[in-house]
Amino acid sequence: GNSVTQMEGPVTLSEEAFLTINCTYTATGYPSLFWYVQYPGEGLQLLLKATKADDKGSNKGFEATYRKETTSFHLEKGSVQVSDSAVYFCALSDRSGTDKLIFGTGTRLQVFP
Amino acid sequence: NAGVTQTPKFRILKIGQSMTLQCAQDMNHNYMYWYRQDPGMGLKLIYYSVGAGITDKGEVPNGYNVSRSTTEDFPLRLELAAPSQTSVYFCASTGTENTEAFFGQGTRLTVV
């Protein structure tokens, strides 16, 4: 079945460091890919998305490129801030007809001043 | 613009009790989902619905039931609460599979 695999956390960085959170997926067909962010005590909110191969999603300095050849959608940010501390979820939307939204296990990011 | 509204925010149940978690959205979305999030873990899909009158099981449906009589509402029913159902429950909705999923604030459920 479809699945999403994320790197385990926590990821601990100093402010202004470079961030990469790896995400790979398994899916039939051509899913849409998403990154969601969850701040403490809140629900998830969309960070960025890509709907086809080679698309790059970007928002708030974060970027991710849909790589069909490596089935990956890694999240990157050039310079993290303390306010970026949160849990990040990679997700895919199954277009096979079932329309399920499948999430990875999440990666906790902790940024220290 | 309320988005996705979940009630209650917190609940403590005794083993064997039943309850319904309410979820409503006002965006006319066809797709709705229920997830559970265990401490330190990701989201697991319980049930989902692609439209009124249509529901299907997700990854962890045992011990739960849902109904979708209207586009707006997607309640989740726990019939015989068990400690293993202690979790945070999130409801979400999307317009189509390519669009943003909107999440409720979550319901923190403890079964003792």
Side-chain angles (χ1 to χ4, degrees), chain A residues 31-32 34 36 38 41-46 49 51 87 89 93-95 97-106 108, chain B residues 31 33 35 37 40-43 45 48 50 56-58 90 92 94 96-106 108:
Chain A
S32 294
F34 307 85
Y36 284 83
Q38 183 181 30
E42 298 184 10
L44 280 71
Q45 54 187 282
L46 179 68
K49 70 176 184 181
T51 58
V87 181
F89 291 90
S93 176
D94 176 1
R95 296 198 216 178
T98 60
D99 299 309
K100 287 187 288 188
L101 189 57
I102 305 296
F103 286 86
T105 54
R108 181 175 299 279
Chain B
Y31 304 99
Y33 310 83
Y35 295 91
Q37 184 178 33
M41 304 291 285
L43 297 170
L45 182 64
Y48 67 104
V50 300
D56 209 345
K57 296 177 180 179
F90 287 101
T94 66
T96 71
E97 71 273 17
N98 289 335
T99 59
E100 176 180 359
F102 289 84
F103 281 79
Q105 290 294 308
R108 184 175 297 277

Side-chain angles (χ1 to χ4, degrees), chain A residues 4 6 21 23 34-39 44-45 47-48 73 75 86-92 102-107, chain B residues 37 41-43 90:
Chain A
V4 176
Q6 285 182 240
I21 300 178
C23 170
F34 307 85
W35 277 100
Y36 284 83
V37 59
Q38 183 181 30
Y39 297 103
L44 280 71
Q45 54 187 282
L47 180 61
L48 54 84
F73 193 54
L75 182 68
V87 181
Y88 292 82
F89 291 90
C90 186
L92 70 79
I102 305 296
F103 286 86
T105 54
T107 302
Chain B
Q37 184 178 33
M41 304 291 285
L43 297 170
F90 287 101

